[in-house]
Amino acid sequence: MEKYHDEEITLSDILRILKRRKNWIIGITFLTICVTFVYLLYFAKPVYEITAVIKLPRGASSQIALSPQLSFLGVSQSPALTEQMEIMKSRRVLISVVNDLKLTEYFSKKSKDEVSQESVVSALLKNVVNVSSVKDTSLIKLTVSLDDREMAYKIARSIIDNYIRVARELNKDENTYLLEFVERQLPTVERELTEIENKLLNFQKTKSILPSEELNALIRKFYDLDGKIVEAQLNYQNLQSQLSVLKQNISQLKGMIKILEYVPDSAKLQELRKRLLDLQIRYNTLELQYTENSPEMRQIEQQISVVQQMINEEISRILSSQFETEDPILRGYYLQLINLQTNLEVSKSHISSLEQVRIQLEKELQKFPDLQREYATLLRDYNLKQQTYTLLRSRREELRLSTAGMSFNVPIVLDEPYLPERPAKPNRRLILAVAFVLGVFLGVLIAFLREAFDQKIRDEYDVLKTIGEEPILYQPSKDGKKDLEALKHIVVQTLNSTGAEPSHVHLLVSSTNSSWKIPIIEGMIELLSKSGKKTVLVNLDGNSSLPPIPKEAKVLSFDGEPLSFSDEGLKKILKDVSHENTVVILSAPTFTSAETKVLSYDANQTVLVLKANDSKRSDLLYAMKNLKNPKFILVREKSKKNL
């Protein structure tokens, strides 16, 4: 008879499986924790983390707010902030760190192999140095992770120092650039001034000369003109510095650098440059003869102003065709670029015109005698160097005052790096907690896998899940009373009453080992005999040993060769026994034999004895399919643990 059962797993099933396999779960969890602890104790290297927090310079901080176009495109981080982070991780900074700390030699000794500078820089970027931004601020967090605490601190300190140095170079304003130019020029001008002064003194000592009024007037013209040239050159250098700062401010904006490198040019612009140069030459020449308020000078000034305006419009037209934007910030940069380009054109033209006037004065100087010309040349050069030196010194002091308050253009270290007392990695508590969770997970997984592939019957629950009905449970006990009560329960369940109707024939078989059913047969016969039931035991097991049988019961044993159940003589014997006794118990061979299957259909009840942790689930399925009205007795020893 075939039965069906529900294979859907329930919460109670899960809890029962976990309880049954708890030893596996506990063991695997404990083993996982032990392996993790050994790894942490003997194999895991401590990693120290050195951290520092740096505030961006004002020039970068002021650009943290994103333009509407960048926000619309989904850019979540300011280009200026990203730029500073990339500068900190740049090869320019890291190579300086490698060279300062001799990291190539350090990592070569550590790895016992020769390493290159490039591989060290790559290792720093990949495994050692991490640069991140602090959310919604203009702060950058630097983290250096290394198993050498002292070296990690040195690397962090060196990165900060080199980053500040590079940032200071990149974040210069026009005054800073001009100050550097002035400070570079001052030693050279001072040395040249000393040389010219010595030459002039030597000339005055060795030669006697009385310059004419005409020569003195020419020298004064040289003096005034050279002062203007020096002033014009400084102004041109200042404009170049402003252009450099403008390039830095918009260097992160795509396409703008090409506009900055582009030099506006056209036929009209060349013509305007020529006109401006001619006007400035005329103006500088007349300046030597007239005062600034003279009608001639004012007229030329007006003409120069008109030409400058035309140059500005032409440059604006040229750049407009190269650069278009609706962003107000970019529009402001665009206007600055136009003004700078215009001023540079005017400044170059102004310097060229002054140089042309100077050439004319040089020609006038050639008219004087050699001695006076030599004296005028020395005096002119002396005045020029003296003017230049005085002007450079004066400008240096002005620039120093203007840049004295510019320290905010340099990154500020808010949190200095320090030597930690304990390593940041590995976090032993966290790793052990994860190992515990992992061990429990693996234990549960293995428990369910063993449950899925385990074909043995472990308890009555396995029988219930396999065939859909509970077995009769028998747990042998050393206590005679308890064991007797258990056997009574078996008799009641198998015979369905305390007594049995006549001709009740019961077939007892075991799944593999027939010895499991011996104590059950013994108890059943004893209880039935004491209750006054005529009981006979028909032993069909062959050479199997029989239990002690009470005197009231009969035993019919067939020893020797296996019997043929088609034999008419055997059938007649069984029929006679059934009529003569109230209960007939047949002890048959293993349930998988063909003889047992035939007997099952001749008997009123078939009982299959199973042994926990030994019988298989396939035995149940076979019995349900091939035996008539099977009942199941599960023998389970209390001392036997389920695995």
Side-chain angles (χ1 to χ4, degrees):
M1 179 178 61
E2 186 175 359
K3 297 191 180 218
Y4 299 94
H5 60 279
D6 188 8
E7 295 184 354
E8 182 179 355
I9 189 169
T10 63
L11 179 61
S12 60
D13 296 334
I14 294 175
L15 296 177
R16 187 176 286 106
I17 292 172
L18 295 179
K19 182 179 179 181
R20 179 193 297 175
R21 308 287 179 175
K22 63 182 179 180
N23 291 337
W24 277 96
I25 298 174
I26 294 173
I28 292 175
T29 302
F30 180 74
L31 179 62
T32 304
I33 293 175
C34 290
V35 171
T36 304
F37 184 77
V38 170
Y39 167 76
L40 292 174
L41 193 63
Y42 296 103
F43 298 99
K45 292 184 179 180
V47 177
Y48 295 90
E49 286 189 354
I50 311 297
T51 60
V53 178
I54 302 168
K55 184 181 183 302
L56 295 187
R58 179 180 177 184
S61 299
S62 62
Q63 300 176 25
I64 292 298
L66 297 177
S67 65
Q69 283 78 5
L70 293 178
S71 300
F72 178 76
L73 292 175
V75 179
S76 59
Q77 187 167 275
S78 165
L81 183 61
T82 304
E83 178 184 279
Q84 295 299 318
M85 293 169 58
E86 292 301 320
I87 290 174
M88 187 175 292
K89 297 187 297 183
S90 64
R91 293 182 71 260
R92 182 175 178 181
V93 172
L94 295 181
I95 287 178
S96 299
V97 173
V98 172
N99 294 333
D100 293 344
L101 301 178
K102 298 181 179 179
L103 293 182
T104 304
E105 299 177 4
Y106 172 80
F107 283 105
S108 296
K109 292 180 180 178
K110 191 173 182 179
S111 62
K112 298 181 180 179
D113 193 12
E114 194 70 23
V115 295
S116 63
Q117 185 184 73
E118 291 297 327
S119 62
V120 173
V121 172
S122 299
L124 290 178
L125 284 173
K126 185 177 180 181
N127 304 320
V128 179
V129 178
N130 180 47
V131 181
S132 60
S133 60
V134 181
K135 187 177 181 181
D136 298 330
T137 66
S138 61
L139 304 179
I140 293 178
K141 183 179 181 181
L142 170 67
T143 304
V144 178
S145 304
L146 200 65
D147 55 358
D148 188 338
R149 184 177 63 167
E150 299 289 339
M151 182 56 70
Y153 174 80
K154 292 178 181 179
I155 292 175
R157 185 74 265 175
S158 181
I159 289 176
I160 293 173
D161 293 341
N162 283 282
Y163 164 67
I164 292 176
R165 174 181 58 80
V166 173
R168 183 181 285 113
E169 295 176 1
L170 298 177
N171 293 332
K172 295 174 183 176
D173 63 350
E174 60 269 19
N175 290 332
T176 306
Y177 278 105
L178 191 56
L179 177 60
E180 291 181 353
F181 172 76
V182 170
E183 289 182 339
R184 287 197 305 268
Q185 294 297 319
L186 263 175
T188 303
V189 174
E190 185 177 8
R191 185 180 67 255
E192 293 175 351
L193 176 60
T194 302
E195 293 176 357
I196 293 298
E197 185 178 12
N198 292 334
K199 289 181 180 180
L200 182 59
L201 290 175
N202 185 51
F203 180 85
Q204 291 175 343
K205 288 179 181 180
T206 56
K207 298 177 182 178
S208 176
I209 184 174
L210 182 62
S212 62
E213 290 294 330
E214 186 180 0
L215 181 61
N216 287 332
L218 184 60
I219 291 174
R220 284 194 296 271
K221 290 180 181 180
F222 269 113
Y223 181 83
D224 295 337
L225 183 62
D226 289 339
K228 293 178 182 179
I229 292 175
V230 173
E231 186 69 29
Q233 290 175 342
L234 285 177
N235 181 58
Y236 181 79
Q237 185 62 37
N238 184 34
L239 292 174
Q240 291 284 3
S241 301
Q242 293 180 26
L243 184 60
S244 299
V245 172
L246 182 61
K247 287 182 179 181
Q248 289 183 12
N249 290 338
I250 59 178
S251 60
Q252 72 271 20
L253 301 179
K254 184 178 180 181
M256 283 297 294
I257 283 297
K258 295 181 179 179
I259 301 299
L260 288 173
E261 300 296 339
Y262 174 73
V263 178
D265 194 16
S266 68
K268 183 177 180 180
L269 185 59
Q270 291 179 1
E271 181 183 353
L272 291 174
R273 287 172 182 167
K274 185 177 180 181
R275 286 176 58 186
L276 180 62
L277 179 59
D278 293 338
L279 289 173
Q280 286 180 334
I281 291 174
R282 288 175 58 192
Y283 179 84
N284 292 324
T285 303
L286 292 175
E287 194 175 22
L288 300 175
Q289 302 174 5
Y290 300 96
T291 62
E292 293 182 358
N293 296 325
S294 63
E296 293 82 357
M297 297 290 289
R298 290 183 178 179
Q299 182 181 5
I300 296 180
E301 284 179 354
Q302 292 177 358
Q303 294 177 1
I304 291 175
S305 178
V306 171
V307 175
Q308 288 179 353
Q309 181 63 29
M310 294 174 66
I311 290 175
N312 184 67
E313 293 175 356
E314 180 64 13
I315 291 176
S316 177
R317 184 191 66 79
I318 296 173
L319 292 181
S320 296
S321 63
Q322 300 289 328
F323 176 60
E324 295 181 1
T325 181
E326 298 297 332
D327 193 319
I329 297 177
L330 300 183
R331 176 61 61 180
Y333 288 146
Y334 168 63
L335 295 177
Q336 292 180 36
L337 179 60
I338 293 175
N339 291 331
L340 277 176
Q341 292 285 8
T342 302
N343 293 334
L344 282 170
E345 292 292 336
V346 174
S347 180
K348 286 192 292 184
S349 178
H350 183 49
I351 294 174
S352 299
S353 65
L354 291 175
E355 293 290 346
Q356 292 293 330
V357 175
R358 200 172 191 279
I359 291 174
Q360 294 177 6
L361 293 180
E362 289 284 355
K363 292 179 180 180
E364 292 184 16
L365 183 61
Q366 297 299 323
K367 299 177 182 179
F368 291 90
D370 293 342
L371 188 60
Q372 291 188 2
R373 190 168 63 250
E374 183 181 358
Y375 172 74
T377 302
L378 289 173
L379 187 59
R380 180 200 63 190
D381 293 343
Y382 173 75
N383 291 334
L384 174 61
K385 296 301 180 183
Q386 189 178 42
Q387 277 185 320
T388 305
Y389 181 73
T390 303
L391 184 61
L392 288 176
R393 285 188 56 129
S394 175
R395 186 60 63 89
R396 182 180 67 177
E397 296 305 319
E398 293 176 4
L399 293 173
R400 282 180 175 177
L401 290 175
S402 64
T403 57
M406 300 297 290
S407 58
F408 49 76
N409 275 341
V410 177
I412 301 173
V413 182
L414 294 183
D415 292 341
E416 294 282 351
Y418 64 94
L419 288 172
E421 295 181 359
R422 297 180 179 179
K425 298 176 183 178
N427 188 335
R428 294 189 175 182
R429 292 183 179 179
L430 178 60
I431 292 178
L432 287 174
V434 172
F436 171 77
V437 175
L438 179 62
V440 172
F441 174 77
L442 291 176
V444 171
L445 178 62
I446 293 176
F448 277 97
L449 289 176
R450 285 188 61 84
E451 185 71 20
F453 291 100
D454 189 4
Q455 296 299 317
K456 296 286 184 70
I457 297 175
R458 303 295 179 181
D459 53 25
E460 62 273 19
Y461 168 74
D462 288 342
V463 178
L464 177 62
K465 291 298 293 183
T466 303
I467 62 175
E469 62 181 56
E470 292 187 5
I472 303 169
L473 181 63
Y474 173 59
Q475 292 181 329
S477 175
K478 295 181 180 180
D479 189 341
K481 291 183 178 181
K482 290 183 179 181
D483 196 56
L484 183 62
E485 289 297 325
L487 291 172
K488 285 182 180 180
H489 177 70
I490 292 174
V491 170
V492 172
Q493 293 294 321
T494 53
L495 302 181
N496 298 319
S497 65
T498 55
E501 297 178 0
S503 72
H504 262 197
V505 178
H506 297 271
L507 174 65
L508 267 72
V509 292
S510 58
S511 59
T512 55
N513 191 345
S514 61
S515 62
W516 300 345
K517 62 185 178 182
I518 292 177
I520 297 175
I521 294 174
E522 178 185 359
M524 291 178 65
I525 293 176
E526 182 177 356
L527 288 172
L528 290 171
S529 298
K530 288 182 179 180
S531 63
K533 307 300 179 184
K534 295 181 66 176
T535 305
V536 62
L537 171 63
V538 180
N539 182 20
L540 302 176
D541 286 333
N543 296 327
S544 298
S545 60
L546 293 174
I549 302 299
K551 295 180 180 179
E552 296 82 0
K554 297 180 180 179
V555 178
L556 182 60
S557 179
F558 294 90
D559 298 329
E561 295 295 329
L563 297 173
S564 172
F565 291 98
S566 61
D567 189 355
E568 294 296 332
L570 176 60
K571 289 184 178 181
K572 183 176 183 302
I573 293 173
L574 293 178
K575 184 176 181 180
D576 294 341
V577 170
S578 300
H579 287 292
E580 294 174 359
N581 296 276
T582 306
V583 179
V584 178
I585 299 176
L586 300 177
S587 177
T590 178
F591 75 106
T592 57
S593 64
E595 294 83 356
T596 302
K597 185 175 180 180
V598 173
L599 286 174
S600 173
Y601 283 92
D602 291 336
N604 300 104
Q605 181 72 57
T606 303
V607 179
L608 176 62
V609 181
L610 306 170
K611 183 66 179 297
N613 300 315
D614 199 347
S615 298
K616 297 181 179 181
R617 299 182 187 185
S618 58
D619 298 345
L620 293 173
L621 298 176
Y622 181 87
M624 293 296 295
K625 184 176 181 181
N626 296 283
L627 302 182
K628 177 184 176 184
N629 298 327
K631 283 187 176 294
F632 300 94
I633 299 176
L634 179 64
V635 180
R636 188 178 69 182
E637 298 177 1
K638 290 184 178 181
S639 59
K640 188 69 175 178
K641 293 183 179 180
N642 295 331
L643 297 177

